[in-house]
Amino acid sequence: MAAYNKKEIIQTLEHIAVYLEIKGENAFRVSAYRKAAQALERDERTIDEIGDPSKLKGIGKGTASIITELREDGRSSFLDELKEEIPSGLITLLSLPGMGGKKIGKLYKELGVEDAAGLRKACEEKKVQNLAGFGAKTEEKILKALDDFGKRPDRLPIAHVMTAVEDITGRLNEFTGINRFELAGSFRRGRETVKDLDFIISTFKPEEVGSQITMMDNIETIVSNGETKISLELAYPEGLIVPVDFRMVEDDAFATTLHHFTGSKDHNVLMRQRAKEKSEKISEYGVESAETGEVITFKDEPAFFAHFNLPYIPPEVREGYDELETKEADLALVETGDIKADLHMHTTWSDGAQSIKEMVEANRERGYTHMAITDHSKFLRVANGLNEERLKRQHEEIRKLNEEYSDFTILTGIEMDILPDGSLDFADDILKETDFVIASIHSAFKQDEETIMKRLETAMHNPYVAMIAHPTGRLIGRRDGYQVDMDRLIQTAAKTDTILELNANPNRLDLASEYVRKAQEQGVKIGINTDAHRFDMLTHMPVGVKAARRGWLKKDTVVNTWDVETLITFLNRNR
Ligand code: DGT
Ligand code: CA
Ligand code: CA
Ligand code: ZN
């Protein structure tokens, strides 16, 4: 196991606290781990810079040795022991909404509940409502949650299948007998959720390839196993099951098969109509002339589209609307290679895992020319948000660091909370000194639409606010976010020249593609940012770009493609 970063260590300490609660340990011991986690969170340094954790206030010798073990080995023998002692069925109960360590501990100790089935039985026998801190309503809620528990969702958010995609792609690259392969279907089109993954494989040895596929070590079910098509369910950590289709074709048919199974169905319908006008028929295997019966094949998709006098139509816009009628220039969509900067990310100064310097180096390595450091502001105490004094100190550090690079610019920034009462977390005199001011909502999600809109509008009308981050607060497959009047948001952004974010985190993709498309139509600029809290989240940029392409975004609409001078001119528009 690799060493843990600060964020992972903090999370593990919190896990230990929860496990101890389940075990029924006394409150002091439990809170020692929570306090240690908070002490680390509050400290601005990375875990290596901190050195000996027992020197920090709030961290005792025992906890310090656990931290050191996590830092060096990426595991804790103490946590491993706890896991042995606690029935594993109890751990799964933690994912039930409203269930924490204390409640589960009580169910375990007082009712002998050890898993979901036991909990259901206890609820049905009306034993749960008599426990202190529970009650009849809670019991009802638990029963409802248990009904949804373990049910497989119809569609998987892409954030959940990305590991599977990487895993399968890696394996196919190692397999023998494959000429080329590509992932088709809804994933290739950049949809937010997928029913299954569709791999198209060019091979002259389908048997050889097929036997390697059915030998994979994480197969849950072989749904079907034909000569040219294999359907599997693959198992991934945390009980995730991903359905996958593999289709094997000869290389001649690869382009048309890839096109067919990329879809969408509606796009395929449009293409077939187009073919009919030429007295031709499209199939997976090629294009057939109705008159001669001759079948032509293509070396790749661009050649296939060219046959119908069409420019290359990117998969992201193949939804069967107007993509065949669109001018070639409007199909020139933003690409990952156009991105010059990531403008929203966090460091150890708030709730990130890496130091400023580490983030800067990582961004430089990605080939960007500039970036912004945007930690949380003071309202967000759980994330150790920066107050005015710390923000100023951070800016000084960034300015100093900036002097070390002649070919790279670090913008100072802040992700400033818009408070529940609609006010902003910082006054203008602070914002004025900050290059890239992001405003976002992280609280009071249940407010009515008018109140939410007033909050967003206050921020957009502030002359120093450059961008609204993740404008709806949704988490794909988990929560809808707060009430936003999208037309009003886009109109105000246009009027105030405020950037709207397309947050590239695969759990967010916020704004969604349909709305960035509308925003672009109204002249609103879009920022695609990873909102990285760790190194690996910086790699989400292409996910955001794909979502942007689904929203037909062109390069110039996306502020991350601008050079730093153009961006700075824009940021100074009201100053
Ligand atoms: P999903 O539901 O997220 O898996 O979405 P897709 O688009 O990946 O759908 P899937 O896996 O059922 O099929 C992949 C593609 O194959 C689909 O986009 C278009 C094509 N396809 C599948 N079934 C049909 C069909 O009955 N008619 C046509 N025209 N195309 C089909
Ligand atoms: Ca699919
Ligand atoms: Ca499929
Ligand atoms: Zn953020």
Side-chain angles (χ1 to χ4, degrees):
M1 261 255 174
Y4 269 6
N5 67 35
K6 192 174 171 190
K7 192 109 199 151
E8 289 164 326
I9 293 174
I10 291 170
Q11 276 167 357
T12 309
L13 291 172
E14 272 155 10
H15 283 158
I16 292 177
V18 171
Y19 280 51
L20 289 172
E21 275 179 338
I22 295 178
K23 258 190 81 184
E25 280 285 349
N26 76 58
F28 288 111
R29 269 200 82 192
V30 174
S31 84
Y33 291 94
R34 295 233 159 88
K35 281 201 180 125
Q38 283 159 11
L40 288 182
E41 187 75 276
R42 264 195 309 271
D43 200 290
E44 278 149 25
R45 296 167 296 173
T46 63
I47 201 71
D48 288 331
E49 287 164 355
I50 289 172
D52 178 2
S54 70
K55 297 231 166 73
L56 284 186
K57 211 178 140 221
I59 298 187
K61 277 255 152 55
T63 321
S65 72
I66 290 175
I67 294 172
T68 307
E69 192 186 356
L70 289 168
R71 181 180 68 197
E72 284 165 8
D73 306 335
R75 57 182 289 276
S76 152
S77 38
F78 181 52
L79 180 60
D80 292 345
E81 277 166 33
L82 283 174
K83 281 186 180 163
E84 287 285 308
E85 288 170 41
I86 299 169
S88 59
L90 286 179
I91 307 304
T92 21
L93 292 183
L94 280 169
S95 52
L96 281 178
M99 272 298 184
K102 267 196 207 144
K103 283 205 168 131
I104 293 175
K106 237 190 210 139
L107 292 164
Y108 178 42
K109 279 255 140 96
E110 298 188 22
L111 300 179
V113 167
E114 294 199 349
D115 53 22
L119 180 56
R120 177 183 292 281
K121 190 155 170 279
C123 286
E124 283 166 353
E125 290 170 356
K126 304 211 182 298
K127 286 182 182 158
V128 173
Q129 54 177 275
N130 297 324
L131 288 182
F134 284 79
K137 269 226 177 100
T138 319
E139 193 176 71
E140 226 172 275
K141 272 194 198 151
I142 294 176
L143 268 175
K144 237 202 192 137
L146 282 169
D147 284 340
D148 297 333
F149 199 54
K151 245 193 221 160
R152 244 201 256 166
D154 298 341
R155 303 189 63 81
L156 299 163
I158 51 155
H160 296 189
V161 299
M162 280 168 56
T163 337
V165 169
E166 225 171 274
D167 169 56
I168 299 164
T169 308
R171 289 171 196 252
L172 291 177
N173 275 322
E174 298 295 310
F175 284 178
T176 57
I178 294 182
N179 306 318
R180 49 177 166 163
F181 70 90
E182 209 161 323
L183 175 51
S186 51
F187 191 93
R188 183 168 184 232
R189 301 199 311 280
R191 284 202 54 177
E192 294 164 359
T193 60
V194 300
K195 176 197 71 195
D196 65 1
L197 299 173
D198 304 274
F199 283 90
I200 311 300
I201 299 168
S202 152
T203 178
F204 296 110
K205 300 169 181 164
E207 247 172 64
E208 181 181 329
V209 174
S211 69
Q212 294 171 90
I213 290 174
T214 50
M215 297 267 282
M216 295 198 319
D217 56 10
N218 61 335
I219 295 178
E220 176 79 10
T221 323
I222 298 184
V223 180
S224 70
N225 185 3
E227 255 169 65
T228 59
K229 182 185 168 190
I230 299 175
S231 293
L232 304 176
E233 291 182 337
L234 296 180
Y236 288 94
E238 291 175 44
L240 176 68
I241 303 290
V242 181
V244 190
D245 287 344
F246 297 90
R247 286 190 173 77
M248 288 165 283
V249 293
E250 289 192 0
D251 202 65
D252 276 351
F254 183 73
T256 38
T257 304
L258 175 62
H259 175 266
H260 177 80
F261 289 106
T262 296
S264 64
K265 265 187 203 172
D266 293 335
H267 167 81
N268 289 352
V269 168
L270 292 184
M271 288 302 295
R272 282 202 299 263
Q273 281 166 357
R274 185 57 71 120
K276 211 169 165 193
E277 288 159 18
K278 291 182 72 181
S279 300
E280 287 175 343
K281 226 176 100 191
I282 299 176
S283 78
E284 296 162 56
Y285 306 104
V287 174
E288 186 184 333
S289 158
E291 284 144 32
T292 64
E294 184 200 3
V295 176
I296 11 176
T297 58
F298 306 91
K299 71 173 197 310
D300 52 20
E301 278 188 336
F304 168 77
F305 284 116
H307 176 79
F308 296 101
N309 291 321
L310 289 167
Y312 177 69
I313 298 177
E316 293 90 344
V317 302
R318 297 186 199 164
E319 289 299 336
Y321 299 123
D322 47 1
E323 66 266 21
L324 301 197
E325 316 299 328
T326 306
K327 292 195 307 260
E328 189 159 1
D330 288 330
L331 292 169
L333 309 175
V334 62
E335 292 172 16
T336 300
D338 296 330
I339 302 292
K340 293 192 171 75
D342 194 342
L343 300 169
H344 178 175
M345 71 192 70
H346 300 266
T347 72
T348 49
W349 282 68
S350 64
D351 59 349
Q354 261 77 42
S355 69
I356 297 175
K357 174 111 183 164
E358 285 174 336
M359 277 311 218
V360 170
E361 285 302 322
N363 276 268
R364 273 167 57 83
E365 276 163 28
R366 301 191 72 77
Y368 298 149
T369 60
H370 54 292
M371 68 185 287
I373 297 281
T374 57
D375 275 306
H376 289 291
S377 65
K378 62 184 191 245
F379 176 79
L380 217 54
R381 293 181 60 178
V382 289
N384 194 30
L386 274 58
N387 61 18
E388 287 82 350
E389 187 266 327
R390 289 178 64 217
L391 182 70
K392 283 183 182 164
R393 273 205 290 126
Q394 191 195 46
H395 287 182
E396 259 164 53
E397 186 173 322
I398 291 174
R399 283 191 197 104
K400 260 193 222 134
L401 194 55
N402 233 337
E403 285 166 15
E404 293 180 22
Y405 305 106
S406 57
D407 57 347
F408 190 82
T409 309
I410 315 156
L411 300 177
T412 60
I414 187 77
E415 180 178 12
M416 172 179 62
D417 260 77
I418 308 171
L419 276 45
D421 69 2
S423 62
L424 302 176
D425 210 4
F426 286 132
D428 283 0
D429 61 327
I430 298 288
L431 300 182
K432 197 163 68 185
E433 302 299 319
T434 309
D435 298 328
F436 195 70
V437 177
I438 302 176
S440 43
I441 290 184
H442 295 113
S443 59
F445 275 34
K446 298 243 160 74
Q447 285 175 343
D448 59 80
E449 186 178 279
E450 186 58 31
T451 313
I452 292 283
M453 289 314 295
K454 289 240 166 75
R455 287 168 81 185
L456 291 168
E457 283 166 353
T458 311
M460 289 192 275
H461 282 289
N462 181 290
Y464 305 108
V465 169
M467 183 180 87
I468 302 291
H470 41 71
T472 73
R474 72 157 176 177
L475 291 175
I476 297 168
R478 272 190 279 166
R479 66 169 195 223
D480 291 337
Y482 35 84
Q483 300 290 319
V484 179
D485 177 337
M486 298 307 293
D487 289 330
R488 194 166 143 188
L489 173 83
I490 291 169
Q491 273 163 26
T492 313
K495 200 166 72 192
T496 56
D497 220 356
T498 308
I499 303 165
L500 295 179
E501 186 173 60
L502 195 179
N503 194 291
N505 185 317
N507 290 297
R508 291 188 181 269
L509 298 178
D510 182 10
L511 286 181
S513 302
E514 57 183 303
Y515 300 120
V516 293
R517 187 175 188 184
K518 278 192 184 166
Q520 175 173 261
E521 281 162 12
Q522 310 235 357
V524 174
K525 301 302 178 204
I526 303 294
I528 309 175
N529 302 304
T530 64
D531 195 358
H533 286 65
R534 319 179 293 262
F535 284 145
D536 60 320
M537 290 170 80
L538 292 169
T539 64
H540 290 151
M541 185 57 85
V543 184
V545 171
K546 207 167 179 53
R549 291 166 62 81
R550 242 182 113 68
W552 294 77
L553 292 197
K554 297 204 200 171
K555 185 178 169 198
D556 287 347
T557 300
V558 178
V559 300
N560 313 69
T561 70
W562 301 352
D563 56 40
V564 67
E565 291 81 15
T566 312
L567 179 66
I568 289 172
T569 309
F570 173 86
L571 297 176
N572 286 333
R573 70 204 185 286
N574 296 317
R575 304 193 183 198

